[in-house]
Amino acid sequence: MIRLDKYLSDASPYSRKEVRALVKRNAVTVNGAAAKSADMKINEEKDTVCVNGTQIQYRKFIYIMLNKPQGYLSATEDDRDPVVVDLLPEELKHFAPFPVGRLDKDTEGLLLLTNDGQFDHELMSPRKNLFKRYYAELDLPATEEDITSFAEGMEFKEFSAKPARLEIDPEDPRKVWVEISEGKYHQVKRMCERVGKNVLFLKRIAIGDLKLDETLECGNVRELTSEELAIFGW
Ligand code: URA
């Protein structure tokens, strides 16, 4: 059981002060009856709370899928550049989500955001060994030798890249798919550079078994479904 003002300030954009004002105006109902006071106790599992007739489901944590466009930093704020959090509607910003891992400013595609530190920790944990799948366009055609180089892993000055999978589009060998289980700085671009190719376009299309929802336009977001969360054991 929690207080009505806490329930609504956790689960909606209203502050506790605003909740008190709404209650005074009879704009809040609990199980169909006008709430009498902002400190009345609510059962988060059973009670139905509405503000101006719209039901507010109780939740503390949110899990968001973003189809990231180019030009945005994977950050919550920055002095110079736009950040991915700018793309969220106010009702999601209210939960103070942050990106799970990073995509480069010029990389597009699947980025998750959450305010659940444990979820972030779980997905970022190296022992989870989650594969991330990318689609890339290169300046030169990829070759069979490149597939072997990726599969052997690569040594860089600051890190070693574990074996990765490279698939080549048979119709156009400048188009490739890369799967890596880590997320080292510029990893896909650097692995491609190592085999003599520059990445001209990069898009993440999956994290483990979670695929980017192709109906989600670039720059748009939606919350993850419970089936999608279950992919990560959540
Ligand atoms: N590898 C890169 O080089 N850039 C990204 O944004 C992600 C993986």
Side-chain angles (χ1 to χ4, degrees):
M1 300 284 276
I2 57 170
R3 284 167 54 125
L4 177 59
D5 54 358
K6 170 144 176 60
Y7 180 107
L8 284 174
S9 63
D10 277 352
S12 77
Y14 302 109
S15 66
R16 288 192 183 205
K17 194 171 159 199
E18 285 166 334
V19 173
R20 282 197 292 278
L22 287 163
V23 168
K24 274 203 185 123
R25 293 212 312 270
N26 287 333
V28 182
T29 59
V30 178
N31 303 325
K36 289 193 184 63
S37 85
D39 55 14
M40 71 181 283
K41 288 284 194 297
I42 303 294
N43 182 329
E44 316 88 287
E45 312 273 304
K46 294 204 183 115
D47 291 331
T48 304
V49 177
C50 297
V51 176
N52 295 321
T54 303
Q55 188 177 345
I56 311 283
Q57 201 71 47
Y58 185 75
R59 63 214 173 124
K60 236 178 137 131
F61 296 125
I62 47 156
Y63 308 91
I64 301 165
M65 173 188 290
L66 165 68
N67 185 354
K68 180 190 171 298
Q70 294 185 7
Y72 286 79
L73 296 182
S74 299
T76 52
E77 52 185 19
D78 190 74
D79 293 340
R80 244 188 21 205
D81 286 308
V83 294
V84 288
V85 167
D86 297 341
L87 295 160
L88 303 179
E90 284 307 317
E91 67 267 22
L92 293 181
K93 271 189 198 162
H94 161 77
F95 290 93
F98 54 86
V100 178
R102 278 157 190 255
L103 290 177
D104 294 339
K105 188 175 163 190
D106 60 356
T107 301
E108 294 185 7
L110 178 58
L111 185 69
L112 301 181
L113 294 104
T114 187
N115 59 350
D116 182 346
Q118 273 182 300
F119 181 75
D120 172 61
H121 192 258
E122 178 76 11
L123 263 72
M124 299 306 288
S125 162
R127 79 181 153 72
K128 188 101 181 156
N129 214 22
L130 260 189
F131 268 83
K132 285 109 192 166
R133 186 169 170 85
Y134 294 84
Y135 165 72
E137 291 176 4
L138 310 175
D139 62 344
L140 293 169
T143 64
E144 290 298 315
E145 293 81 74
D146 299 342
I147 295 178
T148 312
S149 304
F150 272 65
E152 284 169 349
M154 294 178 190
E155 287 302 321
F156 294 95
K157 214 166 98 197
E158 320 89 284
F159 67 92
S160 37
K162 287 193 198 150
R165 186 212 280 253
L166 177 71
E167 283 168 48
I168 306 174
D169 184 342
E171 311 267 297
D172 180 354
R174 279 170 227 242
K175 295 180 177 168
V176 297
W177 290 267
V178 179
E179 276 184 17
I180 55 174
S181 63
E182 309 146 287
K184 305 273 172 56
Y185 190 55
H186 295 330
Q187 185 168 341
V188 172
K189 291 174 187 161
R190 294 187 63 185
M191 293 183 83
C192 292
E193 274 163 26
R194 177 59 62 82
V195 295
K197 280 98 196 173
N198 289 308
V199 172
L200 305 179
F201 174 82
L202 188 60
K203 178 174 179 176
R204 182 156 67 190
I205 53 175
I207 300 174
D209 288 333
L210 176 70
K211 294 194 176 60
L212 174 65
D213 179 346
E214 288 295 345
T215 67
L216 201 60
E217 279 177 34
C218 203
N220 284 2
V221 296
R222 70 159 171 79
E223 291 186 54
L224 293 185
T225 62
S226 45
E227 290 78 18
E228 288 170 333
L229 281 170
I231 290 173
F232 304 112
W234 225 249

